[in-house]
Amino acid sequence: MIDRYEEKVYAGILGKIIGVFYGRPIEGWPYEKIKDRFDMVDHFVAGEVGVPLHVADDDLSGTFTFLNTLEDYPLADLSSDKFGNTWLNYLIEEKTVFWWGGLGRSTEHTAYLRLKGGIKAPESGSAKLNGKAAAEQIGAQIFMDAIPLVFAGDVENARKYTRMQAQVSHDGVAVESACFWAGMEAAAFRERSLDALLEENLSYINIKQLKDIFLEIIAFCKEKPDFRTARAYLEKRWGYDKFPGNCHVIPNTALMLTVLLLGKDSFRDAMQMCVSAGWDTDCNGANIGCLNGIRLGLDAITKEFDFRTPIADRFYNISSNGGECVTDAVWQTQRILKLHNQIYGTGYQVQPHRFSFACQGAVQGFEPCPVRGGKVKLKNGQGQGLTVTLQEEKGFASVPVMWQREDIYGGYCLLGSPVLYETQKVHVSLKTSGDQVKFRLYVIYYDFDDEKQVMESPIYEGTSELKEYVWHIPKLGGRCIDRFGTEVIGEAGGQVLIRSVDFKGAPSDFLITGSLRNYDLGRANMQLQAFTSSAREFSFDARHSFTVSHHEGTGLATIGTRDWGNYQVSCRAVPYLHREFGLVIRTRGHGKYYALLLKEHNTARLVRQDGEERAVLAEHPFPYKELETYELTLQAEENRISAAINGEVLLSAKDERYQRGGCGFLICEGTFMADDFHVTN
């Protein structure tokens, strides 16, 4: 067992999030521009440069999406090929995670096209196939942090599985640099000393170019140069002008080692120098933040500067697994703990709740409600729960459960589905500071015109004993829920301690019906944007609620989370041109699911899709016609998957591959329309 393992994982994830949002607003700025504008970047500057703080970013989405590989495959079966399968399942082409800059220009786009074309990893990322310039950009390094968090203290395995992941898209010095930093992070769980970490991990480097650079930097930093001298030295020796491509790994890995050595044991100093130095500011800040979070611990993150309050733990994880979009550092820590337990047979406690506040100081995205106002203070001392303290007679604290429209910015797509839905049961465990304090729960949702409205629970009487309250959210007409919150009522100084919040399972009655065409908005409203779509076109239709269209291969449009287990989904479908179409359930990305499919105008099938592998679980003749309406129902109950058409159960099978996941539409090479999308359990 690793000493304070949970805390170190959380601190590492938190450090990575901080680094991304500290550096992202000035990513791509020339060094001189950063220097002239800020001198040293000693605070979060997003507001000053006119951009949102919490934005979609490849460093975070790639890191925590590719972690799915360890959840989807047994460790004994892992290979670069399996990591490549994860790309194909969880990426939506030209939408999620990457800069989709073109073949030969964007390293990751190039690798994706190789995978899509049938070339397996590691060849998909090889310099032989893609050229040395593309293969040695920075991406392998920026996506690796989750692996050493899982393989804590185990440098050899951290390097081994980082290499597998990195070789999907990179080669040569880029892969070796990623492995070096993975080893540093893994070792940091048991070793704080930089000298000891470097001595251990330099011994693994097998590319002379990289090792020589690192040894030269270590010797240079022993002379104790100031930051500006060191930055000039880096520019002269390994500046961007000396390497091909948009973002070569060598300048950035050299910069990271330099600021790590100059920053010593100060989280703040290393972060400020890292971001102030320019080049790939968010990527470098994220890697340094993760390493120093692990190495120096949670207290070091706030010792000299409050990095935590603006971040509030939260970030976006953009992938085809849309229900994982809205996430936070504690939630991801629980994923890491569970994987570590499975691999090493350890017994670290994994919290079962969506919001457990289990880490010291964690707020998991909760904040004074920006929609409803009312002054409150939020605090979580030792990971025992979130305390909401009134500063006047009532106040509101809330958390996003859907991506926020104000966070749309830049070249990375903000795409995903809500965490919370109408007719779900919300379980809240809390206590108040006395019986004079009352509270109620509420959700903020979008109406048809995308204006925010409020739905409230009854007012609950407070008690000083911890108690569980259950609120069954009323029907909202299929509207998209934006935030969940707690209203506290009493006198200034009154408190509510929220121990946990949870809402597992599918909604009992979630129905989207009627026209979604809103002429005034001039765009798809949030009901439609609540779906995560890999279909080329997914929108409203003049006569129907939905139209789903995809001209090459298969596209899906899904909604829901990994907590949806036993439930059914139905719709009234109107096919047009197509190879096959239908409903999916228990989706795990857009390449793993069960589906009810109609094809060739004469056949209904129940299938299990797992990447390229399709198993036909049941089949039944069913003649049907284009532009006629068919009621489709797909149900999952434990290991029984069944399907009905026009109210008659035609297909049924037992299968245990997928236990939970969202649902939605599937179209292959064509179009169909749908009405009355209905989820029940």
Side-chain angles (χ1 to χ4, degrees):
M1 300 281 282
I2 297 170
D3 183 43
R4 294 170 31 244
Y5 175 56
E6 300 99 321
E7 178 190 316
K8 291 177 181 178
V9 171
Y10 173 63
I13 295 173
L14 193 58
K16 184 172 181 71
I17 300 169
I18 288 166
V20 167
F21 294 141
Y22 204 74
R24 175 67 191 278
I26 55 172
E27 181 184 17
W29 284 30
Y31 167 65
E32 292 298 333
K33 181 179 178 180
I34 297 172
K35 180 182 176 183
D36 291 344
R37 177 73 180 270
F38 300 107
D39 189 27
M40 292 294 289
V41 182
D42 59 2
H43 59 287
F44 291 97
V45 299
E48 292 175 48
V49 300
V51 302
L53 180 62
H54 291 91
V55 295
D57 189 87
D58 57 341
D59 298 73
L60 295 168
S61 294
T63 298
F64 294 100
T65 293
F66 301 151
L67 178 61
N68 290 331
T69 311
L70 301 186
E71 296 174 328
D72 290 351
Y73 299 99
L75 195 66
D77 292 344
L78 281 190
S79 61
S80 286
D81 184 19
K82 298 298 191 299
F83 281 99
N85 290 346
T86 295
W87 279 46
L88 292 174
N89 183 31
Y90 294 102
L91 297 178
I92 299 179
E93 188 172 3
E94 299 190 12
K95 286 186 179 180
T96 64
V97 179
F98 303 138
W99 169 53
W100 297 88
L103 179 68
R105 186 163 179 254
S106 162
T107 297
E108 289 77 20
H109 194 172
T110 301
Y112 178 85
L113 291 171
R114 302 305 189 198
L115 293 167
K116 183 182 174 183
I119 297 170
K120 303 292 186 181
E123 188 180 357
S124 58
S126 67
K128 180 180 179 181
L129 188 63
N130 299 333
K132 192 170 185 291
E136 293 188 346
Q137 301 301 299
I138 199 175
Q141 188 163 291
I142 71 176
F143 300 138
M144 63 79 195
D145 297 283
I147 291 179
L149 293 176
V150 174
F151 295 97
D154 187 349
V155 171
E156 291 191 1
N157 274 324
R159 288 179 56 89
K160 174 183 176 180
Y161 295 108
T162 294
R163 186 175 300 277
M164 288 181 186
Q165 176 178 289
Q167 286 179 326
V168 175
S169 50
H170 291 75
D171 202 352
V173 70
V175 172
E176 192 58 37
S177 184
C179 291
F180 170 80
W181 291 107
M184 290 282 284
E185 290 181 9
F189 279 92
R190 51 175 165 73
E191 179 58 67
R192 180 186 174 99
S193 164
L194 280 175
D195 289 341
L197 287 174
L198 288 168
E199 181 179 359
E200 177 178 2
N201 284 281
L202 286 169
S203 68
Y204 285 97
I205 297 178
N206 57 27
I207 292 181
K208 185 176 185 299
Q209 178 192 22
L210 186 63
K211 192 166 188 176
D212 286 349
I213 290 170
F214 284 171
L215 290 173
E216 181 180 330
I217 288 170
I218 292 168
F220 173 78
C221 289
K222 285 181 178 178
E223 300 300 320
K224 300 180 180 179
D226 62 47
F227 168 66
R228 298 298 177 193
T229 301
R231 179 58 176 78
Y233 159 78
L234 290 169
E235 186 74 51
K236 180 179 179 180
R237 294 288 290 125
W238 303 291
Y240 268 18
D241 60 309
K242 297 170 180 63
F243 300 94
N246 293 290
C247 194
H248 200 277
V249 71
I250 286 180
N252 292 289
T253 196
L255 188 155
M256 284 171 53
L257 182 57
T258 302
V259 299
L260 183 67
L261 291 168
L262 295 183
K264 299 179 182 177
D265 288 347
S266 170
F267 184 96
R268 180 201 63 181
D269 290 353
M271 185 62 67
Q272 288 184 4
M273 287 187 285
C274 188
V275 171
S276 299
W279 290 338
D280 203 339
T281 49
D282 61 330
C283 299
N284 298 335
N287 289 143
I288 287 294
C290 186
L291 173 57
N292 273 343
I294 299 165
R295 184 175 73 91
L296 302 175
L298 196 55
D299 290 342
I301 295 177
T302 53
K303 183 178 181 181
E304 300 163 291
F305 176 75
D306 181 13
F307 286 97
R308 297 186 63 178
T309 298
I311 298 303
D313 293 311
R314 74 179 184 90
F315 69 96
Y316 298 118
N317 181 18
I318 314 297
S319 74
S320 65
N321 226 24
E324 302 298 300
C325 170
V326 177
T327 189
D328 62 74
V330 178
W331 183 249
Q332 296 300 329
T333 296
Q334 302 309 310
R335 289 180 71 195
I336 300 288
L337 295 181
K338 185 176 180 180
L339 283 166
H340 187 86
N341 285 342
Q342 291 171 353
I343 292 168
Y344 292 99
T346 48
Y348 296 107
Q349 185 176 2
V350 178
Q351 299 294 332
H353 310 295
R354 182 64 183 82
F355 298 101
S356 63
F357 312 108
C359 299
Q360 178 184 333
V363 298
Q364 292 192 255
F366 275 82
E367 61 185 337
C369 186
V371 179
R372 303 197 71 184
K375 294 182 179 179
V376 294
K377 285 187 176 180
L378 306 182
K379 184 178 180 180
N380 177 4
Q382 298 300 317
Q384 299 302 309
L386 182 68
T387 300
V388 183
T389 303
L390 283 171
Q391 294 181 277
E392 46 193 34
E393 291 184 352
K394 67 177 179 178
F396 305 86
S398 68
V399 62
V401 292
M402 175 61 169
W403 51 264
Q404 302 294 281
R405 289 185 300 182
E406 57 266 29
D407 290 339
I408 297 174
Y409 169 78
Y412 297 113
C413 181
L414 191 46
L415 176 75
S417 299
V419 177
L420 181 62
Y421 295 81
E422 64 177 74
T423 72
Q424 282 188 303
K425 291 181 179 179
V426 181
H427 297 255
V428 180
S429 176
L430 61 73
K431 63 181 180 179
T432 65
S433 57
D435 57 11
Q436 298 303 308
V437 178
K438 302 177 182 180
F439 70 94
R440 62 180 160 194
L441 310 175
Y442 65 90
V443 293
I444 297 170
Y445 66 96
Y446 290 101
D447 64 17
F448 185 72
D449 295 317
D450 279 358
E451 297 296 328
K452 294 184 179 182
Q453 306 294 338
V454 178
M455 175 64 72
E456 300 173 324
S457 78
I459 294 177
Y460 300 102
E461 300 292 334
T463 172
S464 58
E465 298 295 324
L466 200 63
K467 180 180 176 180
E468 182 175 284
Y469 301 83
V470 180
W471 179 39
H472 196 173
I473 301 174
K475 289 182 67 63
L476 302 172
R479 308 302 183 209
C480 172
I481 297 179
D482 181 59
R483 303 182 76 91
F484 167 80
T486 302
E487 177 185 358
V488 184
I489 305 164
E491 296 180 350
Q495 292 183 335
V496 165
L497 173 68
I498 305 173
R499 186 63 191 89
S500 64
V501 180
D502 210 0
F503 30 83
K504 286 186 172 63
S508 60
D509 188 5
F510 173 53
L511 172 65
I512 299 178
T513 188
S515 174
L516 301 183
R517 189 168 192 167
N518 190 319
Y519 292 93
D520 293 333
L521 288 177
R523 56 169 171 77
N525 68 16
M526 293 301 291
Q527 274 184 286
L528 280 162
Q529 293 186 66
F531 285 78
T532 300
S533 177
S534 58
R536 180 68 63 174
E537 299 293 336
F538 176 69
S539 189
F540 49 74
D541 180 75
R543 297 184 178 182
H544 304 279
S545 298
F546 302 96
T547 180
V548 196
S549 182
H550 199 70
H551 64 265
E552 180 185 37
T554 299
L556 276 68
T558 58
I559 197 167
T561 75
R562 67 164 66 186
D563 290 325
W564 294 15
N566 297 325
Y567 67 100
Q568 75 172 29
V569 57
S570 62
C571 75
R572 292 190 302 114
V574 181
Y576 191 47
L577 302 175
H578 64 277
R579 177 173 290 184
E580 58 187 16
F581 75 97
L583 291 171
V584 294
I585 200 168
R586 288 185 178 173
T587 58
R588 174 76 173 158
H590 280 190
K592 296 176 181 288
Y593 50 79
Y594 297 112
L596 162 60
L597 300 178
L598 273 63
K599 60 178 298 178
E600 297 174 357
H601 298 89
N602 59 18
T603 303
R605 279 182 171 177
L606 188 63
V607 306
R608 182 192 68 221
Q609 194 74 36
D610 191 347
E612 297 177 349
E613 172 197 331
R614 172 175 286 189
V616 178
L617 304 178
E619 186 173 279
H620 194 281
F622 185 78
Y624 64 94
K625 298 179 180 179
E626 292 179 359
L627 296 179
E628 292 197 3
T629 301
Y630 301 89
E631 184 180 342
L632 308 182
T633 303
L634 182 58
Q635 183 173 20
E637 182 67 31
E638 303 302 337
N639 66 350
R640 173 67 64 180
I641 314 299
S642 58
I645 303 177
N646 295 336
E648 181 182 358
V649 177
L650 298 180
L651 303 163
S652 182
K654 288 186 176 182
D655 193 86
E656 298 182 350
R657 180 74 59 89
Y658 308 128
Q659 299 297 315
R660 295 178 301 278
C663 60
F665 307 109
L666 179 149
I667 182 65
C668 180
E669 297 181 17
T671 293
F672 82 102
M673 290 70 72
D675 296 289
D676 298 341
F677 180 81
H678 199 189
V679 176
T680 58
N681 71 9

